[in-house]
Amino acid sequence: MRFNYIFFFLFVGCFGFAQLTINGVITDENGLPIRDVHVHIANRTSATIADGSYVLNDVPKGNQKLYISYIGYQTIEETIVLSSSLTINRQLFPEVVALNEIAVQQNIATKNSSSNEQVLNEATIEKYSNQSLGDVLKEVSGVSILKSGSNVVKPVINGLHSSRVPIVNNNVRLEDQQWGTEHAPNFDVNAAGRITVIKGASALQYGGDAIGGVVIIDPQVIKKDTLIGKTILNLSSNGRGGSMTTSLQKGNVYGWSWNVLGTFKYLGDRETPDYILSNSGNREQDFSGGIRFAQEKYNFNAMYSFYNAQIGIVKASHIGNVNDLYQSITNRRPSTIEPFTYALEAPKQEVQHHLFKLNYQRWISDTASLDLQYAFQFNNRLEFDVRRNSANDKAALDLQLATHTLQLDYSNSFEAWKIKLGSNFGFQDNYANPNTGIRPLIPSYQKIDLGGYGVVNYEIDNSLLLESGLRYDFTQIEATKYYLKSRWDERGYSTNFSHFIIGEEGNQWLTKPKFMYHNFTGSLGFRKEFHHEMEWFLSIGLASRNPNPSELFSDGLHHSTGQIELGDLRLQREQAFKVNTTFKKSWKSVFLEVNPFLNRVSNFMFLKPIGFETTIRGAFPVWEFDQTNALLMGLDVNYKWNVSNRLSHEANFAYVRGIDLTNDTDLIDIPAFTIGNKIQYKKEEWYHWTAELKSELVFRQTQYPDNDFTTNIVVNNELIPVLVPISSSPEAYHLLHFYNEMTFQVGKKNSITTAFSIQNIANTTYRDYLNKQRFFVDEMGRNFQIQVKLNF
């Protein structure tokens, strides 16, 4: 209360002791009232009700910008001099030119108001039409990528990845066996209309385990009352292939709307500056489509997407013995180099992902709505290893993951309050096909999720908003798994987990491990707007993440990475306390954003190398899951300077420090310090010509734990002990990239955009610390790309 008084006086002092009321009526071109028109002035917002009227309270005196907008109509933007309360009536007229501004619906999930959100729009996404979701997310400051070769790319936010960074596609959380570091998100980036990155653990409606952050993908907006489409063709020199994607959509304000999209990618082996990355090609065939039926009080929509990818794994990453690994790390020369080919051979991945969703939204009143949604996902992952004779075509790993989710959300707003309540139920079944003839890395299991949340926003005044949320989740996971008795004893499970044993078969125990977790999570934050275009966001979040099936049950050779991985039944859930704050300041031509963060994680789970193990396939490095208490802290900075109407400069840098508090050392797999720069020049008169030169400087990661170990290798028919430097990080590197595009109008509604780009202009040889294949091969070299986009 005391704070309110202080703020009140500060506020009053700034605005001349005046709080006014603005009201009025908004009508259409025929003079009829329009409902749900957005009215915005001096950070106060309102929406018209059925008779077209609106009211805005507590509006300050002075010159204020008035915005009135409604889908399908021209936006009104004007400056109003306010000295007393006013009635402002306005008439809207249909938008007839800027069709891109008209939408039937943009099904954007409600984001967290106290967290800074970074958004990638459709134009940026289209530049990466030929690449992956992880690649496009690199455009966001503070987001790095974790790679397994050239094609498996996943995002790292503030040093965290995989299960700690949920990906929400079209309001459905992606369940695609995302726990694996070598599992790329099963998503066609061409289906995204907008991508939002929320750093922190405060997006509670998407789950309480977002310790790193959340990636939210919204679909492309369906345009109103028209039939439109686009085709994008990409060609790449490195990989000697390309992709084509086509979409078509038909929209209506009321009644039926629909959209379809198809993508095809085909690329062969990638090349470093010095050699071919044998077996690094990939294929992809994707389809998505949706329908929507809308009326004034409700709408119903259904969508389906299919992702189908075949991804080669570089042959040099599958070693046969200890000598090969040691030589590869120390000599930096891959063990296998073959001529270029489009063929995909083992080792490789084949992944299929189906997503089907039904959603019903009902407006209960002018401000309240109810959402009911059911989603089904089926993910089939096949991993092929190098096997003898005909078995080479038989998958060594076959996991079939089915996920059902049902969720109910309710939102309402009244005066300065906004609330959102929700609940979800999920059932997941993973089937590890035994017909592979190889012990599955991940066993069959069933998982039940039950959760509920509440988020409240309170707008104290037009410059200060508070937000808080609370969530409870219950999870039960039960697996059926065979353990070799020798492995069971080696892991020390006899003492604590003998009750899991339900049978015996030769040298194996048949076990049925069952775990239950109760998690409470919460968040608290605010957004403060100051004068002179300055904003301050602060969010404090408590998140809990349960061990995933990989961390609990992994036991065997992971064919995608060529390493043996061992889970641990003793792992406890992670609990993170994260403070994330952002300062934004805009001057006339300069924008600056500073985002420091601090993340204290108890029972932090990580994978670390511990040595070698020899199997009938050869010798493989062994990695096991472990836990510690960790502290991650860092700083992301974004800056943009519009030097002139045509020339601009952008820069960003990201720094993350990961500390193992228990062992007083560094955390493994933390991104290195990076600095990015971009110079852009535009000239609209030259067919909307845009040219960009980007610089990417990645420093050497010098803060990593020492997990090196000694082993014996054969030299001149004698076993010689050597130190395997598996912990060391690659040298720093600097890359330059160029992008250039022009747009030509073809007829009244059609246009063609042509783009030419070069990645890694200097053809620099380098390795990246966050690439799991850095021990075996260099990164991809120079790549010329041509893109042609036809809008029709």
Side-chain angles (χ1 to χ4, degrees):
M1 194 65 186
R2 185 179 179 185
F3 173 76
N4 287 341
Y5 283 128
I6 294 172
F7 185 79
F8 172 78
F9 284 114
L10 289 174
F11 183 79
V12 167
C14 294
F15 289 92
F17 302 90
Q19 299 294 304
L20 310 176
T21 297
I22 307 298
N23 58 36
V25 175
I26 308 301
T27 57
D28 65 10
E29 70 277 19
N30 299 314
L32 300 175
I34 312 178
R35 175 182 171 174
D36 295 331
V37 176
H38 177 76
V39 184
H40 180 180
I41 186 168
N43 297 323
R44 303 297 294 171
T45 61
S46 180
T48 58
I49 59 177
D51 63 358
S53 64
Y54 70 92
V55 177
L56 289 163
N57 295 314
D58 302 328
V59 180
K61 274 185 174 181
N63 293 342
Q64 304 292 354
K65 279 281 189 180
L66 170 68
Y67 300 92
I68 302 175
S69 61
Y70 185 69
I71 295 171
Y73 284 80
Q74 297 175 32
T75 297
I76 293 176
E77 179 179 342
E78 58 187 88
T79 300
I80 305 293
V81 180
L82 294 177
S83 57
S84 61
S85 296
L86 287 178
T87 296
I88 302 176
N89 301 322
R90 291 291 183 269
Q91 188 173 20
L92 296 178
F93 294 92
E95 180 67 80
V96 295
V97 178
L99 290 177
N100 288 336
E101 300 295 329
I102 303 172
V104 172
Q105 179 193 24
Q106 188 169 12
N107 190 23
I108 299 173
T110 302
K111 316 295 192 300
N112 188 289
S113 301
S114 60
S115 293
N116 181 32
E117 301 173 357
Q118 291 180 282
V119 178
L120 299 176
N121 58 27
E122 191 169 343
T124 302
I125 296 168
E126 286 176 350
K127 289 182 182 177
Y128 292 85
S129 169
N130 199 30
Q131 301 182 55
S132 68
L133 177 64
D135 290 311
V136 68
L137 285 172
K138 273 190 72 179
E139 288 282 331
V140 178
S141 173
V143 177
S144 309
I145 56 174
L146 185 72
K147 298 196 291 185
S148 294
S150 306
N151 303 314
V152 179
V153 183
K154 62 193 314 176
V156 181
I157 298 179
N158 293 155
L160 300 173
H161 55 81
S162 303
S163 297
R164 299 182 180 100
V165 181
I167 295 173
V168 180
N169 173 23
N170 205 346
N171 206 35
V172 179
R173 179 168 168 150
L174 204 58
E175 296 288 351
D176 56 352
Q177 305 176 47
Q178 64 274 18
W179 52 72
T181 56
E182 63 301 316
H183 300 176
N186 295 169
F187 176 75
D188 174 20
V189 71
N190 293 290
R194 163 183 156 130
I195 300 175
T196 304
V197 175
I198 302 177
K199 300 173 184 175
S202 48
L204 291 178
Q205 59 266 45
Y206 306 113
D209 57 349
I211 288 175
V214 186
V215 176
I216 300 171
I217 302 168
D218 294 308
Q220 296 178 2
V221 175
I222 300 177
K223 307 296 188 296
K224 172 195 169 187
D225 290 340
T226 186
L227 177 64
I228 63 170
K230 67 180 176 184
T231 294
I232 303 176
L233 174 67
N234 296 280
L235 295 174
S236 294
S237 64
N238 204 326
R240 306 180 196 182
S243 69
M244 187 173 77
T245 182
T246 296
S247 62
L248 196 62
Q249 54 184 253
K250 175 74 171 70
N252 289 297
V253 175
Y254 297 122
W256 290 98
S257 303
W258 55 266
N259 70 297
V260 293
L261 180 145
T263 298
F264 178 72
K265 296 180 182 177
Y266 192 98
L267 290 112
D269 288 342
R270 306 304 202 278
E271 302 174 40
T272 73
D274 302 311
Y275 50 81
I276 301 290
L277 293 167
S278 299
N279 204 47
S280 60
N282 67 299
R283 318 268 189 274
E284 197 173 307
Q285 309 84 36
D286 308 310
F287 170 81
S288 62
I291 57 172
R292 177 177 181 270
F293 181 77
Q295 291 296 308
E296 185 179 5
K297 288 287 187 180
Y298 69 91
N299 67 73
F300 166 84
N301 68 79
M303 64 86 64
Y304 167 75
S305 71
F306 174 59
Y307 172 89
N308 187 30
Q310 305 84 47
I311 303 170
I313 305 298
V314 173
K315 287 184 178 179
S317 65
H318 274 230
I319 55 176
N321 52 59
V322 181
N323 284 40
D324 288 348
L325 178 65
Y326 178 76
Q327 297 298 338
S328 180
I329 293 176
T330 55
N331 297 338
R332 296 174 61 87
R333 189 70 182 171
S335 58
T336 304
I337 300 176
E338 297 175 353
F340 172 88
T341 178
Y342 289 100
L344 295 182
E345 300 176 351
K348 63 179 180 179
Q349 303 177 10
E350 291 185 4
V351 184
Q352 292 187 340
H353 188 83
H354 302 261
L355 191 159
F356 173 70
K357 185 191 84 169
L358 292 173
N359 178 275
Y360 175 77
Q361 182 181 43
R362 178 85 188 182
W363 286 92
I364 303 171
S365 67
D366 292 339
T367 59
S369 67
L370 201 63
D371 268 84
L372 178 63
Q373 178 173 292
Y374 165 76
F376 172 71
Q377 298 177 75
F378 181 75
N379 188 272
N380 186 201
R381 164 170 287 272
L382 302 174
E383 295 186 2
F384 296 83
D385 194 5
V386 179
R387 305 172 75 174
R388 295 176 181 175
N389 303 323
S390 58
N392 212 31
D393 297 326
K394 191 175 184 180
L397 181 71
D398 182 355
L399 298 179
Q400 300 168 22
L401 182 71
T403 306
H404 302 262
T405 54
L406 183 65
Q407 61 190 68
L408 179 65
D409 296 293
Y410 167 79
S411 63
N412 199 355
S413 60
F414 42 92
E415 298 184 348
W417 293 88
K418 289 183 181 178
I419 63 170
K420 187 166 187 180
L421 306 172
S423 62
N424 68 281
F425 171 76
F427 175 74
Q428 190 172 79
D429 182 79
N430 182 67
Y431 175 67
N433 190 347
N435 295 326
T436 60
I438 293 178
R439 175 188 301 277
L441 178 69
I442 305 294
S444 297
Y445 71 85
Q446 291 186 332
K447 185 160 76 84
I448 296 173
D449 292 303
L450 185 63
Y453 74 90
V455 177
V456 178
N457 288 345
Y458 178 60
E459 194 172 358
I460 294 178
D461 56 39
N462 53 16
S463 68
L464 180 61
L465 181 142
L466 302 180
E467 182 177 78
S468 67
L470 189 65
R471 182 180 179 97
Y472 165 75
D473 286 286
F474 166 76
T475 298
Q476 175 182 294
I477 181 168
E478 184 174 32
T480 302
K481 179 174 174 57
Y482 282 97
Y483 276 97
L484 288 171
K485 293 179 179 177
S486 56
R487 182 75 79 192
W488 182 266
D489 293 337
E490 172 200 302
R491 306 298 290 168
Y493 290 159
S494 298
T495 304
N496 298 321
F497 303 111
S498 58
H499 60 285
F500 287 157
I501 299 175
I502 59 172
E504 181 179 4
E505 191 171 309
N507 63 345
Q508 300 181 100
W509 293 121
L510 175 59
T511 65
K512 219 169 178 60
K514 183 177 180 180
F515 298 94
M516 288 187 288
Y517 305 94
H518 299 269
N519 293 330
F520 286 94
T521 53
S523 67
L524 186 65
F526 69 82
R527 186 187 72 225
K528 170 66 180 169
E529 297 182 14
F530 300 92
H531 297 294
H532 311 298
E533 307 295 333
M534 188 166 74
E535 288 182 287
W536 178 25
F537 297 81
L538 175 67
S539 68
I540 301 172
L542 177 66
S544 296
R545 185 179 74 87
N546 304 323
N548 63 43
S550 174
E551 291 158 336
L552 287 171
F553 307 123
S554 287
D555 179 16
L557 178 62
H558 199 158
H559 304 277
S560 292
T561 57
Q563 63 188 31
I564 291 172
E565 295 176 4
L566 300 176
D568 195 330
L569 298 177
R570 292 173 288 257
L571 294 178
Q572 302 295 311
R573 65 183 174 189
E574 285 181 349
Q575 286 192 303
F577 177 76
K578 186 169 185 176
V579 180
N580 194 305
T581 187
T582 303
F583 299 91
K584 289 183 177 180
K585 178 73 175 80
S586 296
W587 289 271
K588 187 175 181 180
S589 59
V590 177
F591 169 79
L592 178 66
E593 179 182 282
V594 181
N595 173 212
F597 68 91
L598 184 72
N599 197 357
R600 171 70 160 79
V601 187
S602 302
N603 299 322
F604 180 81
M605 287 174 268
F606 63 100
L607 197 58
K608 69 175 184 179
I610 58 172
F612 267 96
E613 191 169 302
T614 303
T615 72
I616 58 173
R617 272 275 289 109
F620 294 94
V622 180
W623 294 62
E624 74 170 8
F625 286 97
D626 199 354
Q627 265 184 320
T628 188
N629 292 323
L631 179 67
L632 295 101
M633 52 188 175
L635 180 67
D636 301 331
V637 177
N638 288 306
Y639 142 88
K640 183 174 182 179
W641 176 27
N642 292 313
V643 181
S644 68
N645 291 334
R646 294 175 178 171
L647 183 64
S648 65
H649 173 240
E650 293 180 44
N652 62 75
F653 76 80
Y655 172 73
V656 184
R657 175 84 167 94
I659 304 172
D660 182 336
L661 298 174
T662 303
N663 301 302
D664 192 24
T665 185
D666 301 298
L667 290 180
I668 194 171
D669 291 341
I670 296 298
F673 177 48
T674 60
I675 298 177
N677 278 279
K678 181 172 77 174
I679 298 173
Q680 185 183 74
Y681 185 82
K682 289 183 176 181
K683 189 159 187 175
E684 294 293 321
E685 300 89 337
W686 294 359
Y687 301 101
H688 310 282
W689 179 56
T690 299
E692 297 175 357
L693 182 64
K694 289 178 65 176
S695 159
E696 183 182 354
L697 176 60
V698 180
F699 289 74
R700 181 174 188 175
Q701 177 58 278
T702 57
Q703 296 163 334
Y704 54 83
D706 182 2
N707 293 313
D708 295 348
F709 54 86
T710 58
T711 188
N712 295 321
I713 65 171
V714 178
V715 178
N716 297 326
N717 296 322
E718 292 185 7
L719 286 176
I720 304 296
V722 295
L723 179 69
V724 181
I726 202 165
S727 305
S728 61
S729 61
E731 298 292 331
Y733 61 88
H734 179 227
L735 305 178
L736 286 174
H737 313 293
F738 173 75
Y739 179 83
N740 162 76
E741 72 170 32
M742 299 179 83
T743 299
F744 304 90
Q745 201 65 34
V746 183
K748 188 176 180 180
K749 297 181 179 179
N750 304 332
S751 66
I752 295 177
T753 299
T754 60
F756 171 72
S757 63
I758 312 173
Q759 296 173 322
N760 192 359
I761 294 173
N763 207 21
T764 301
T765 299
Y766 69 103
R767 296 189 181 192
D768 190 277
Y769 179 63
L770 291 187
N771 192 336
K772 290 295 181 182
Q773 295 183 350
R774 73 178 189 275
F775 302 122
F776 314 106
V777 292
D778 294 333
E779 296 284 344
M780 195 171 77
R782 184 186 296 121
N783 184 24
F784 295 94
Q785 291 194 105
I786 295 174
Q787 183 181 82
V788 178
K789 180 174 67 177
L790 171 63
N791 288 306
F792 53 91

